[in-house]
């Protein structure tokens, strides 16, 4: 599996567009800046919804109506983040795919997506009973806490990707090498 | 029902804002405007270079503080605080976009007063974390950022953003918005979004400089 990921990454790395993006100072920085600044639209709004569910913010705003109205701008934000994230990966595919932090981030993104789906389903099933309460029911509050915590760790992992602490090109413990998917004889980053 | 009543009461409760001041009906906005003019005059005067030179010992001292020591010594701590800075910036941006979006007429089914008051509380907390984590990060690389023009642009935009948020936007949205020109309200919302977008963009650019 790691060999397959590595081979695909090398193939992506050899494409002209990948080289064009990572060798262009302005294009790469514009993409990365868009990725980070879109946090305000995606994560910022998601956290507002989570804080409302926990009763820590906007207690007088009807909860499910808030979540429904903010869904569209939040999704637009996440789509922009997703596209720019793919472009950032495409610009540096080999190093990214062998990054421990990138892999943790991807796993947590999947967990957050599942959590968001379950959260939305539970919210629509129960909305009529607590719409104007300052706090959501316990199951939804747990979902909001998971969302807050995991998205914070995702941002943290995103920051850690920039550092080379666990890069495969340096000697690493076996566990790190296994989790990062380091390939023996790997010479290109 | 009770929230709707509260909303109506809050909307018409503008007696404190309507009190006359010696410098006109918008004292905080006037002071903020004057402060911005002084800041602009300062930026284009010879005083700026003198002040910049005089600030170097302060930035050198910042690196010797505990924050500076931790930031320079432990990359993990620095990156973790950076992540906190980003998350709080995201929350600040979310609060700005939500509140200003509502002022622009989006999500009109949500109660106006509750949205803008609740968002302002979130905004204040997020701003406090942004500033705290920002100071920590600056201490770790104080002398480096001292020589970066974009760092000073960021400080300038942050100052403008804070003055605008607390001395222009807040007094305006505290008023009875039904008697304020909708154009003024919308222009304020657009200006607010632009100011905080600029703060975020200049901050991001520090990383590339």
């Amino acid at each position: 599996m790691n060999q397959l990921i590595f081979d695909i990454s090398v193939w992506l790395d050899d494409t002209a567009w990948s080289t064009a993006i990572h060798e262009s100072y302005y294009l790469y920085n514009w993409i990365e800046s868009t990725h980070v600044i879109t946090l305000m639209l995606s994560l910022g709004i998601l956290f507002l919804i989570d804080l409302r569910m926990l009763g820590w913010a906007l207690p007088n705003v009807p909860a499910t109506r808030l979540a429904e109205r903010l869904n569209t701008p939040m999704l637009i934000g996440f789509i922009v983040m997703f596209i720019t994230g793919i472009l950032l990966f495409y610009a540096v595919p080999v190093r990214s795919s062998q990054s421990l932090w990138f892999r943790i981030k991807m796993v947590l993104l999947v967990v957050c997506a599942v959590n968001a789906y379950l959260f939305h389903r539970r919210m629509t099933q129960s909305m009529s009973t607590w719409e104007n309460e300052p706090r959501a029911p316990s199951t939804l509050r747990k979902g909001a806490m998971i969302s807050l915590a995991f998205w914070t760790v995702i941002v943290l992992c995103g920051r850690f990707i920039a550092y080379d602490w666990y890069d495969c090109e340096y000697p690493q413990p076996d566990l790190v090498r296994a989790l990062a998917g380091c390939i023996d004889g790997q010479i290109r980053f | 029902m009770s929230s709707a009543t509260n909303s109506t009461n809050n909307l018409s409760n503008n007696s404190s804002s309507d009190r006359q001041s010696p410098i006109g009906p918008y004292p905080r906005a006037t002071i903020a405007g004057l402060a911005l003019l002084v800041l602009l005059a300062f930026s284009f005067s010879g005083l700026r270079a003198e002040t910049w030179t005089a600030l170097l010992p302060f930035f050198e001292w910042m690196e010797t503080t505990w924050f500076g020591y931790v930031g320079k010594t432990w990359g993990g701590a620095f990156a973790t605080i950076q992540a906190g800075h980003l998350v709080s910036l995201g929350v600040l941006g979310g609060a700005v976009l939500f509140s200003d979006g509502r002022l622009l007429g989006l999500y009109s089914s949500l109660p106006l007063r509750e949205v803008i008051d609740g968002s302002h509380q979130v905004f204040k907390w997020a701003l406090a974390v942004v500033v705290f984590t920002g100071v920590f990060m600056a201490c770790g690389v104080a002398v480096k950022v001292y020589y970066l023009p974009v760092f000073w642009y960021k400080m300038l935009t942050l100052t403008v953003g804070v003055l605008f948020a607390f001395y222009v936007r807040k007094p305006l949205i505290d008023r009875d918005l039904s008697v304020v020109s909708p154009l003024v309200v919308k222009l304020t919302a657009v200006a607010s979004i632009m100011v905080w977008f600029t703060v975020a963009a200049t901050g991001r650019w520090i990383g590339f400089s």
Side-chain angles (χ1 to χ4, degrees), chain A residues 75-123:
Chain A
L75 282 177
I76 291 170
F78 276 117
I79 288 167
V80 174
M81 287 200 87
F82 188 65
I83 292 169
T84 49
I86 286 174
L87 288 173
L88 289 174
F89 174 80
Y90 178 51
V92 195
V94 180
R95 181 179 181 270
S96 302
S97 65
Q98 313 291 309
S99 161
L100 175 68
W101 304 114
F102 178 81
R103 291 183 169 214
I104 296 173
K105 184 176 176 178
M106 290 305 108
V107 171
L108 289 178
L109 279 173
V110 173
V111 174
C112 282
V114 173
N115 182 56
Y117 169 76
L118 292 174
F119 180 89
H120 191 259
R121 205 176 65 169
R122 285 176 190 144
M123 188 182 77

Side-chain angles (χ1 to χ4, degrees), chain B residues 1-156:
Chain B
M1 181 64 191
S2 63
S3 74
T5 314
N6 283 340
S7 176
T8 314
N9 289 341
N10 287 338
L11 277 172
S12 53
N13 183 12
N14 62 334
S15 56
S16 61
S17 327
D18 278 352
R19 277 189 213 118
Q20 284 301 313
S21 139
I23 54 171
Y26 307 105
R28 284 199 280 182
T30 308
I31 292 167
L34 285 172
L36 288 176
L37 282 176
V38 169
L39 203 61
L40 270 178
F42 171 78
S43 301
F44 289 103
S45 72
L47 266 178
R48 189 186 65 166
E50 283 177 31
T51 312
W52 184 70
T53 309
L55 280 173
L56 181 57
F58 175 73
F59 278 74
E60 288 170 338
W61 170 80
M62 282 169 74
E63 286 203 1
T64 66
T65 60
W66 186 77
F67 278 5
Y69 175 73
V70 172
K72 278 192 295 187
T73 313
W74 290 298
F78 189 81
T80 304
I81 295 290
Q82 268 187 325
H85 191 70
L86 281 178
V87 169
S88 50
L89 181 72
V91 175
L92 182 147
V96 167
L97 289 172
F98 181 42
S99 179
D100 289 326
R102 181 65 187 85
L103 289 175
L104 286 168
L106 303 173
Y107 344 113
S108 53
S109 63
L110 296 174
L112 177 63
R113 179 53 59 193
E114 280 74 5
V115 167
I116 54 181
D117 286 350
S119 301
H120 191 70
Q121 293 300 319
V122 177
F123 170 85
K124 281 195 293 189
W125 279 103
L127 181 64
V129 181
V130 164
V131 171
F132 177 78
T133 50
V135 168
F136 181 97
M137 287 159 57
C139 284
V141 285
V143 175
K144 182 191 169 192
V145 294
Y146 171 82
Y147 289 106
L148 291 178
V150 71
F151 169 77
W152 296 101
Y153 298 147
K154 160 111 182 190
M155 292 304 105
L156 185 67

